[in-house]
């Protein structure tokens, strides 16, 4: 049994005076214990909303969630907030994008960690504080005892994100969701945080869902990658397969637009043309069609289905046949 | 402290000059229509009102520094203004504290609940109620309360601070507190009954303002990322509310409470007049009517000092709640 099973998850926002908007459209994926799964796609494709739905953190009003999310066999979507509170922080942990705004500015770092321990592991004040120092040490914050009494604004951006990771991992959750944990950080810090995350989850049975718009982040971390576009999964593959031979034109475009160390000198990065605003509705055809270099006529009238493809899944009428490197060579 | 001294000096100049520019001085107020030309001239001379205004001011300042603010001519003729102020100040302080406490006790929980159940009946009722609270003239509200609850229904006393048949021991000048300290429970209860209506009337504006600020501030905080983080940790509702929502939402409320103390004095003038409450508000009202310069000067200057002090305390407590301000102060 998978640790987490997401089946046909749909999320629709209803706002007064506006048409309901579908942010996530029937997506399904599994996460096995200890596995690291990537959720990749550009801004607005529904990554954060998916993670919030799993955590039960979507606004209760205005957001309609359909489908099913089971965690260790238990359906999460029907649970009350009170029942979810027993799971959140203990079995499910989450790291957010912006560490400054995600930490309470008027509560000391130590307490923000130890309160999770007090809540779920029923530790006393003192033990929880000692454990919090230990956790800060584990996530690589020097002089943890002193840091316990400091406030978020006294820490650097990287240290804040380390503290958030310490909070999320405090109770050794079975699943950690990291939603663009490095986007708000300096480039040099980004790599440190990523290697910290992989170090903390590898060799444990904590599974990780890594959410990012950056395939480069996925490269060193994920076992399996789901590529999302316009609220749907368009390609799923093992990491090596995805990088060696991306099948979906969107994935292909994403790969071509990240800098690579092994790329020939002078190679230009090719961004995907257009932007999400060009999307057409999935009900009419392929949402990516207006931007797709491989588009066929049928792409504009016949929505592609997600089907098995070379050990992964693919949603495309005209998949890419050659790897980007090979394509480079041929030019 | 420098701030305080500056406020006092500037204000004393303003009030001093302004009072003397008002038509009809203490002389007309004292003598009325009966005064002859000689008696008017005599009294004017006796009160020192013939000297140039800056001479008068520096004479006033010189005496004020020693605590002598002159003698009351209208509110309680012959009594030193400072003595009169000290006598009456506890009454106004008791009333103001009761009003602020009432406002806080009701406005903060209601503001919080209204924000949590935004658009619900409690929220709508609260918003409308606070609109009324802000816009209803305090004089009118005080009068309504007195008319219905005291005169018509006879549930509560119509005015004063203590029934005449009660012989209470005085310690602090706060009548309710005195009754508790001396265990004269009947006196405490009686004083409380006298306090209730004026305190409610005076609380109306601070209540309305604090309710609205709390509500708006909680609504802001509910959207903050750190509240989502707190929920992602599965914390209990109580900890999320107290530690993560309220502790942040209280920051603007604290500032508001400080600013509201300024509004309290003007409210006290009206409330104390309606309920014959023997405080400095009432002294101010009578003092204006009778052009009692000495009393007006001491009351207004003292009120301004109190206002600055309260806001100083607010600034300090702000730093206690908000660590960001604390470290900014350490640096500077
Ligand atoms: N509270 C909300 N109310 C209405 N629409 C929302 C809400 N939250 C998200 N959406 C919409 O849902 C869609 C998906 O948003 P989501 O935040 O999941 O994107 P994302 O993939 O995480 O992008 P980013 O990289 O910018 O974080 C967007 O079109 C967004 O406008
Ligand atoms: S379905 Fe057609 S338009 Fe869509 S990605 Fe594939 S080729 Fe491009
Ligand atoms: Mg996002």
């Amino acid at each position: 049994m998978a640790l987490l099973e997401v089946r046909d998850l749909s999320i629709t926002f209803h706002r007064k005076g506006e048409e309901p908007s579908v942010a996530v459209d029937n997506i399904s994926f599994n996460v096995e214990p200890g596995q690291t799964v990537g959720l990749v796609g550009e801004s607005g494709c529904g990554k954060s909303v998916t993670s919030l739905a799993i955590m039960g953190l979507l606004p209760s009003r205005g957001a309609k969630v359909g489908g099913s999310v089971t965690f260790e066999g238990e359906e999460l979507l029907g649970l009350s907030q009170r029942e979810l509170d027993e799971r959140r922080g203990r079995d499910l942990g989450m790291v957010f994008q912006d560490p400054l705004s995600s930490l309470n500015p008027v509560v000391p770092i130590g307490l923000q960690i130890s309160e999770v321990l007090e809540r779920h592991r029923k530790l006393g004040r003192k033990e929880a504080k000692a454990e919090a120092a230990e956790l800060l040490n584990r996530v690589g914050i020097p002089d943890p005892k002193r840091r316990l009494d400091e406030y978020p604004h006294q820490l650097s951006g990287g240290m804040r994100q380390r503290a958030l990771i310490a909070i999320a991992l405090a109770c050794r959750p079975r699943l950690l969701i990291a939603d663009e944990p490095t986007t708000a950080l300096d480039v040099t810090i980004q790599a440190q945080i990523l290697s910290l995350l992989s170090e903390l989850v590898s060799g444990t049975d904590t599974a990780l869902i890594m959410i990012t718009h950056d395939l480069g982040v996925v490269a060193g971390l994920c076992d399996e990658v789901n590529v999302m576009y316009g609220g749907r999964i368009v390609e799923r593959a093992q990491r090596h397969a995805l990088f060696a031979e991306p099948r979906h034109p969107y994935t292909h475009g994403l790969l071509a637009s990240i800098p690579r160390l092994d790329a020939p000198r002078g190679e230009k990065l090719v961004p995907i043309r257009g932007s999400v605003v060009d999307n057409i509705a999935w009900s009419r055809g392929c949402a990516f069609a207006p931007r797709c270099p491989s588009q066929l006529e049928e792409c504009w009238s016949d929505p592609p289905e997600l089907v098995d493809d070379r050990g992964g899944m693919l949603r495309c009428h005209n998949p890419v046949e050659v790897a980007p490197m090979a394509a480079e060579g041929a030019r | 402290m420098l701030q305080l001294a500056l406020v006092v000096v500037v204000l004393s100049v303003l009030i001093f000059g302004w009072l003397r520019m008002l038509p009809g001085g203490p002389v007309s107020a004292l003598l009325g229509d009966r005064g002859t030309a000689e008696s008017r001239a005599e009294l004017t001379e006796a009160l020192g009102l013939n000297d140039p205004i800056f001479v008068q001011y520096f004479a006033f300042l010189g005496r004020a520094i020693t605590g002598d603010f002159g003698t009351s001519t209208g509110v309680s003729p012959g009594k030193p203004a400072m003595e009169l102020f000290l006598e009456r100040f506890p009454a106004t302080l008791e009333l103001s504290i009761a009003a602020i406490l009432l406002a806080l006790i009701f406005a903060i929980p209601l503001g919080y609940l209204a924000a949590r159940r935004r658009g619900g009946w409690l929220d709508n009722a609260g918003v409308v109620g606070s609109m009324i609270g802000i816009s209803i003239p305090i004089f009118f509200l005080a009068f309504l309360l007195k008319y219905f609850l005291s005169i018509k229904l006879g549930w509560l006393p119509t005015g004063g601070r203590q029934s005449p048949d009660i012989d209470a021991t005085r310690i602090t000048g706060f009548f309710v507190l005195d009754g508790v300290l001396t265990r004269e429970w009947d006196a405490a209860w009686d004083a409380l009954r006298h306090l209730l209506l004026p305190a409610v009337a005076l609380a109306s504006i601070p209540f309305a303002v604090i309710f609205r600020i709390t509500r708006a501030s909680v609504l802001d905080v509910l959207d903050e990322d750190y509240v989502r983080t707190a929920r992602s940790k599965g914390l209990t509702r109580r900890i999320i509310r107290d530690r993560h929502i309220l502790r942040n939402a209280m920051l603007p409320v604290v500032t508001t409470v400080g600013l509201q103390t300024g509004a309290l004095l003007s409210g006290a003038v009206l409330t104390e007049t309606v309920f014959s409450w023997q405080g400095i508000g009432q002294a101010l009202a009578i003092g204006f009517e009778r052009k009692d310069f000495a009393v007006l000067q001491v009351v207004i200057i003292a009120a301004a000092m109190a206002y600055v002090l309260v806001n100083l305390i607010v600034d300090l407590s702000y730093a206690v709640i908000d660590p960001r301000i604390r470290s900014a102060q350490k640096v500077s």
Side-chain angles (χ1 to χ4, degrees), chain B residues 47-296:
Chain B
L47 291 175
L49 295 174
N50 279 331
D51 300 331
I53 192 157
F54 65 89
V55 174
Q56 288 185 43
Y57 177 73
F58 283 108
F60 162 77
L61 206 59
R63 278 183 277 115
I65 285 168
T66 69
D68 173 11
F69 280 80
T71 308
S72 166
T73 57
V75 181
S76 179
K79 186 174 259 185
M82 192 64 190
E83 192 184 318
L84 181 137
F85 170 79
L86 291 176
E87 247 172 50
R88 283 170 169 262
F89 187 57
T92 301
L93 204 56
E94 181 179 47
L95 179 58
S96 306
I97 290 173
I100 278 286
L101 284 181
L102 263 182
L104 287 173
I105 287 169
F106 286 98
I108 290 178
L110 285 176
Y112 174 80
L113 285 176
R116 287 312 301 253
R117 301 180 195 161
R118 183 179 196 176
W121 67 266
L122 180 84
D123 186 24
N124 292 329
V127 169
V128 172
S130 65
M131 206 114 80
I132 296 174
I134 287 175
S135 51
I136 194 173
I138 211 169
F139 190 78
F140 181 57
L141 176 64
F143 187 76
L144 277 185
L145 288 171
K146 176 168 152 173
Y147 182 75
F148 285 107
L149 298 178
S150 304
I151 299 174
K152 279 273 155 182
L153 295 168
W155 289 350
L156 291 162
T158 55
R161 299 180 66 195
Q162 190 98 70
S163 303
D165 55 337
I166 285 187
D167 179 25
T169 317
R170 295 283 161 247
I171 304 174
T172 59
F174 301 120
F175 285 12
V176 178
L177 186 63
D178 283 353
V180 171
L181 290 177
T182 58
R183 294 170 190 275
E184 294 169 353
W185 301 115
D186 56 331
W189 177 240
D190 180 68
L192 198 62
R193 279 165 45 88
H194 280 82
L195 180 61
L196 187 61
L197 288 186
V200 168
L202 191 54
S204 62
I205 291 178
F207 166 82
V209 174
I210 295 169
F211 170 83
R212 301 191 135 227
I213 297 282
T214 306
R215 176 180 175 276
S217 168
V218 169
L219 280 177
D220 280 348
V221 170
L222 283 176
D223 281 339
E224 291 285 352
D225 287 349
Y226 53 77
V227 174
R228 190 180 60 190
T229 308
R231 295 211 287 138
S232 80
K233 290 149 100 173
L235 301 174
T236 58
R237 274 139 192 265
R238 200 174 55 79
I239 287 189
I240 293 182
R241 182 191 65 205
D242 296 347
R243 188 179 292 161
H244 295 283
I245 299 176
L246 282 178
R247 210 185 273 190
N248 283 285
M250 279 308 104
L251 296 173
V253 175
V254 170
T255 318
T256 311
V257 172
L259 296 174
Q260 281 303 307
T261 54
L264 277 182
L265 188 74
S266 53
V269 174
L270 304 166
T271 314
E272 292 184 2
T273 304
V274 173
F275 289 100
S276 323
W277 191 267
Q278 312 256 311
I280 58 169
Q282 191 196 40
L284 212 55
I286 303 175
F288 262 109
E289 204 177 296
R290 304 190 186 155
K291 299 291 176 305
D292 191 334
F293 288 179
V295 167
L296 292 177

Side-chain angles (χ1 to χ4, degrees), chain A residues 243 255 258-267 324-325 328:
Chain A
F243 281 87
L255 272 176
I258 54 170
R260 302 168 62 120
L261 286 177
D262 56 352
R265 279 166 58 119
E267 186 201 40
M325 289 307 292
E328 282 307 325

Side-chain angles (χ1 to χ4, degrees), chain A residues 248-250 286-290 292-296 299 304 315-319:
Chain A
H248 197 280
Y250 176 61
C286 174
F288 188 57
C292 181
S294 321
Q295 57 180 276
L296 307 172
C299 301
R315 186 193 293 279
C316 181
H317 292 310
N318 186 18

Side-chain angles (χ1 to χ4, degrees), chain A residues 48 97 179-180:
Chain A
S48 297
Q97 174 169 343
D179 186 358
E180 313 222 20

Side-chain angles (χ1 to χ4, degrees), chain A residues 49-60 65 69 76-77 79-81 84-85 88 92 94 177, chain B residues 228 231-232:
Chain A
V49 174
T50 302
S51 60
L52 293 178
I54 296 169
M55 295 290 291
L57 290 174
L58 283 172
S60 53
V65 183
V69 175
L76 293 185
L77 290 187
L79 293 186
S80 68
Q81 289 295 321
L84 275 171
D85 283 339
R88 286 193 289 233
L92 299 153
M94 181 143 180
I177 304 179
Chain B
R228 190 180 60 190
R231 295 211 287 138
S232 80

Side-chain angles (χ1 to χ4, degrees), chain A residues 57 61 81 85 88-89 96 101-106 111-112 115-116 119-120 125 151 153 167, chain B residues 118 225-226 228-229 231-237 239 243-244 247-248 321-324 326-327:
Chain A
L57 290 174
R61 276 194 277 182
Q81 289 295 321
D85 283 339
R88 286 193 289 233
F96 296 93
S101 67
S102 296
L103 287 165
N104 187 333
V106 301
L111 184 55
Q112 297 194 51
E115 64 182 0
V116 203
R119 163 81 171 95
H120 294 295
R125 266 282 150 98
Y151 292 87
H153 72 274
I167 290 171
Chain B
R118 183 179 196 176
D225 287 349
Y226 53 77
R228 190 180 60 190
T229 308
R231 295 211 287 138
S232 80
K233 290 149 100 173
L235 301 174
T236 58
R237 274 139 192 265
I239 287 189
R243 188 179 292 161
H244 295 283
R247 210 185 273 190
N248 283 285
I321 336 181
D322 193 342
R324 286 161 297 187
R326 212 168 2 189
S327 32

Side-chain angles (χ1 to χ4, degrees), chain A residues 13 15 21 23 41-50 59 97 179-180 213:
Chain A
F13 287 100
R15 275 192 286 196
S21 73
E42 61 198 339
S43 191
C45 71
K47 307 177 301 280
S48 297
V49 174
T50 302
Q97 174 169 343
D179 186 358
E180 313 222 20
H213 61 267

